[in-house]
Amino acid sequence: MVDLSGRTAVVTGASRGIGAAAAEHLARHGARLIILCPSAVQGRAAAETVRRRVVAAQVDSVACDLADLHQVRKAAERIVGLVGGRLDLLINNAGVAALPLTRSPSGHEMHFAVNHLGHFALTGHLLPALLKAPRPRVVNVSSVLHWLGRCRPRGPHPSRRYHRWWAYFDSKLANLLFTQGLAAWAQSHQLPLRAIAAHPGLVNTTLGSSALRADGRDLEARLLERMQARWHSPSQAAWPLVRAATDPRVAGGEFLGPGGRWEWSGPPLRVRAARRARDPDAVERLWRLSQRLTGHPFPSSGRPSPKGDR
Ligand SMILES: NC(=O)c1ccc[n+]([C@@H]2O[C@H](COP(=O)([O-])OP(=O)(O)OC[C@H]3O[C@@H](n4cnc5c(N)ncnc54)[C@H](OP(=O)(O)O)[C@@H]3O)[C@@H](O)[C@H]2O)c1
C-alpha cells in the first residue's frame, strides 16, 4: 500500500458497508478524506468514526443524494471548495439494490439513477479538480453480478417488465461501461486520468436486504441476510477498491476483484469482465445517453466521445 499523505480522496456511500471500510483504509495510509452520503448526520457520524479509529485522520463529509442531479452539482462545488481545487481520487461506491420500481427526481429508474447516473454526473463535475492532480484516478464499484446485466439500447430498465434485481444487475454493468467510456475519453483527450473498475465480491452488508425489508418482503430479506452473514467482511471486501485507487501498476480500463473461487472473496487481483461490458457500441451509447440526461458534465471539445468524433 503506497503512502497517500498529501492526497485527497472522495468516497461515495462511505457512511457504512464497503465504502466506510475503504475510507478507513485510505485514511490509515494518510489520505485526506471526504465522505459523501445522503444524510448530513450519518456523514458526520461516519467521519467521526474514522477520526476515532485513525489518529490524525483528516476527514470531512458532504451530504448528497446521488439520485438528485441538482444536489450532485452542489455537492461537487462543495467538495472542490473543501479540497482546495485539487482532487486525487474519486471512489464511486454508493449503491442501492433490490428496490421496487422507484423514480429519481428527474424521473429515472432509481438503480440507474443512483448507481450510475449520479456517479457519472459527480465525476464530470469534479473533473476540473481531478485534472489538477498529477495522477488522478476514478474507481467505479461494480459487481460480479454485472455478468447478468444488459445494456438496453433505449436506456434503463423498462417499467413494463421491471424486476428489482435485474435493474440492479443492469446498473452494475453500466458501472463497467462507464469505466471503459471514461478511460477511452481520457485517452482520446490525452489526459493522465485513470478510470478503473473494482468489485468487492460477496460482502456481509445490508445491501438489498434493507430494501426488501422496507418493502415488506421479510422472508426474502431474512434469506438474503442469512447468506450475507456467511460472506466476507466489508474490511476485506474493500481491498480491490483500495488497490484500484492506489496501485501504480493498475492501468486505466482495468477491472479488479477478489481472486478467490468465483470471485466471492480473496486477494485483490485483475478479473475478467463480461464481453458485453467491453462492447464499444454499448460504451458509446451509454456515454451519450448519460451526457444527455445529466446536462453534459464532460466537456465536448476536441474528440468528444469515447469512440471518437461524433
Ligand atoms: N454487498 C455486496 O455483497 C456487494 C457485492 C457486489 C458489489 N457491491 C457494491 O458495493 C457498493 C457498496 O455496497 P455495500 O454493500 O457497502 O452497500 P451498503 O452497506 O448498503 O452501503 C451503501 C452506501 O451507499 C449510500 N447510498 C445509498 N443510496 C444513496 C444515494 N441516493 N446517494 C448517496 N449515497 C447513497 C448509503 O448511504 P445511507 O447509509 O445513507 O443509505 C451507504 O453509505 C455498491 O456499489 C454495491 O453495488 C456490493
Side-chain angles (χ1 to χ4, degrees), residues 13 15-16 18 38 42 64-66 93 95 142 168 172 200-201 203 205:
S15 60
R16 57 192 161 97
I18 300 154
Q42 284 182 24
C64 171
D65 179 352
L66 285 161
N93 159 81
S142 180
Y168 174 70
K172 293 290 109 181
V203 195
T205 68

Side-chain angles (χ1 to χ4, degrees), residues 155-174:
H157 217 86
S159 40
R160 258 184 316 118
R161 280 188 267 140
Y162 183 80
H163 187 287
R164 61 184 76 223
W165 283 111
W166 295 107
Y168 174 70
F169 304 154
D170 290 358
S171 73
K172 293 290 109 181
L173 177 65

Side-chain angles (χ1 to χ4, degrees), residues 12-20 35-39 42-43 63-68 71 92-97 110 113-115 119 140-145 168 171-172 175 198-208 210 228 231-232 234 237 241:
T12 71
S15 60
R16 57 192 161 97
I18 300 154
I35 284 171
L36 183 145
C37 66
S39 143
Q42 284 182 24
C64 171
D65 179 352
L66 285 161
D68 183 337
Q71 284 193 35
N92 288 323
N93 159 81
V96 288
M110 197 57 96
V114 174
N115 299 0
H119 284 125
N140 293 323
V141 180
S142 180
S143 165
V144 74
L145 294 170
Y168 174 70
S171 73
K172 293 290 109 181
N175 296 146
H199 84 81
L202 296 184
V203 195
N204 185 9
T205 68
T206 56
L207 183 78
S210 55
Q228 282 168 329
W231 297 346
H232 71 161
L241 284 61

Side-chain angles (χ1 to χ4, degrees), residues 59-287:
V59 197
D60 280 297
S61 62
V62 168
C64 171
D65 179 352
L66 285 161
D68 183 337
L69 295 173
H70 179 69
Q71 284 193 35
V72 173
R73 181 184 280 279
K74 291 272 163 224
E77 285 168 12
R78 181 141 161 61
I79 289 168
V80 172
L82 283 169
V83 298
R86 191 195 103 172
L87 178 64
D88 296 87
L89 305 170
L90 169 62
I91 303 191
N92 288 323
N93 159 81
V96 288
L99 296 174
L101 181 57
T102 321
R103 300 272 170 201
S104 71
S106 319
H108 306 122
E109 188 283 313
M110 197 57 96
H111 295 87
F112 184 70
V114 174
N115 299 0
H116 168 63
L117 269 191
H119 284 125
F120 182 92
L122 182 69
T123 309
H125 296 319
L126 289 174
L127 200 60
L130 284 161
L131 294 179
K132 292 231 171 76
R135 293 176 300 280
R137 288 193 188 200
V138 175
V139 177
N140 293 323
V141 180
S142 180
S143 165
V144 74
L145 294 170
H146 81 272
W147 283 84
L148 301 173
R150 292 269 181 288
C151 179
R152 296 169 200 276
R154 277 173 233 262
H157 217 86
S159 40
R160 258 184 316 118
R161 280 188 267 140
Y162 183 80
H163 187 287
R164 61 184 76 223
W165 283 111
W166 295 107
Y168 174 70
F169 304 154
D170 290 358
S171 73
K172 293 290 109 181
L173 177 65
N175 296 146
L176 288 175
L177 293 168
F178 172 37
T179 307
Q180 291 304 316
L182 184 57
W185 182 88
Q187 199 180 27
S188 72
H189 285 74
Q190 298 178 328
L191 296 170
L193 178 86
R194 285 189 216 182
I196 299 156
H199 84 81
L202 296 184
V203 195
N204 185 9
T205 68
T206 56
L207 183 78
S209 59
S210 55
L212 291 170
R213 198 173 292 288
D215 199 26
R217 302 172 84 101
D218 279 1
L219 182 62
E220 268 176 78
R222 267 212 304 280
L223 283 172
L224 183 57
E225 278 161 0
R226 215 173 259 189
M227 288 196 292
Q228 282 168 329
R230 305 164 80 101
W231 297 346
H232 71 161
S233 71
S235 181
Q236 291 168 317
W239 280 112
L241 284 61
V242 174
R243 183 171 175 206
T246 58
D247 186 340
R249 293 162 301 180
V250 176
E254 287 193 329
F255 184 29
L256 303 189
R261 198 157 80 136
W262 298 327
E263 297 172 26
W264 286 6
S265 61
L269 300 177
R270 287 181 181 84
V271 292
R272 207 157 63 86
R275 190 195 294 242
R276 62 173 81 104
R278 292 171 274 130
D279 171 5
D281 289 329
V283 169
E284 176 75 3
R285 258 195 329 263
L286 182 70
W287 183 271

